Amino acid sequence: MRPVTRNTLLGIIAVVILLLALGALPGLLKSGDPYYTVATPTDGEYSVDNGTALNWSTQSERRFPYTSAALSDASPSAAGQSEPYWRGPLGFKGAFTHSPFDERDALSQQYDGAVTDDGVVVRHNGTFYHIAVRQDV
């Protein structure tokens, strides 16, 4: 094999390995305090009409895994929470991974009628829940 071809091939392999590492590494970074998506039954606490609350049955569990986990953990009498999410150092992780903040922002932009000061109101199995991202649970 010619040296130019070998060096080019080694360069391509190095770039592929680097890209694979960037995809896997951020999920392993855990620093700082964890954040949770929390689903709290509203009990009329938030003033959102029945018509403006987001109907959760129309959403994909694969698109919103943190919110789906919080809702599946919740009951009409108790709040539920998702698995913890750590931001990682220097904001590096946020650029490469899906986060509860991404979910909150997507829901806020798509369903602006259900937005509250710090989250979104959704209807799930006939119960209204306030969805927010919090550090302390």
Side-chain angles (χ1 to χ4, degrees):
M1 179 180 297
R2 297 173 69 186
V4 173
T5 306
R6 185 189 67 222
N7 290 341
T8 302
L9 188 59
L10 289 174
I12 291 171
I13 290 172
V15 167
V16 168
I17 290 173
L18 178 65
L19 290 174
L20 287 173
L22 283 176
L25 179 64
L28 302 175
L29 295 174
K30 294 181 181 180
S31 67
D33 293 328
Y35 288 84
Y36 300 89
T37 297
V38 179
T40 309
T42 62
D43 296 331
E45 200 174 314
Y46 295 94
S47 59
V48 176
D49 299 328
N50 291 354
T52 59
L54 165 64
N55 183 2
W56 192 253
S57 64
T58 63
Q59 301 304 312
S60 168
E61 186 175 313
R62 295 181 73 192
R63 182 171 180 202
F64 300 104
Y66 290 101
T67 305
S68 296
L71 285 169
S72 66
D73 189 40
S75 69
S77 60
Q81 72 180 29
S82 67
E83 293 294 318
Y85 170 81
W86 286 270
R87 279 198 166 184
L90 306 174
F92 173 76
K93 182 177 180 178
F96 294 98
T97 61
H98 180 75
S99 74
F101 305 103
D102 297 333
E103 291 183 15
R104 181 195 57 200
D105 293 343
L107 291 171
S108 297
Q109 289 173 3
Q110 292 175 9
Y111 304 98
D112 59 347
V115 173
T116 64
D117 290 337
D118 63 343
V120 179
V121 176
V122 302
R123 187 176 69 242
H124 179 63
N125 293 335
T127 304
F128 290 89
Y129 294 96
H130 181 253
I131 307 295
V133 178
R134 298 205 174 103
Q135 271 189 308
D136 53 349
V137 178

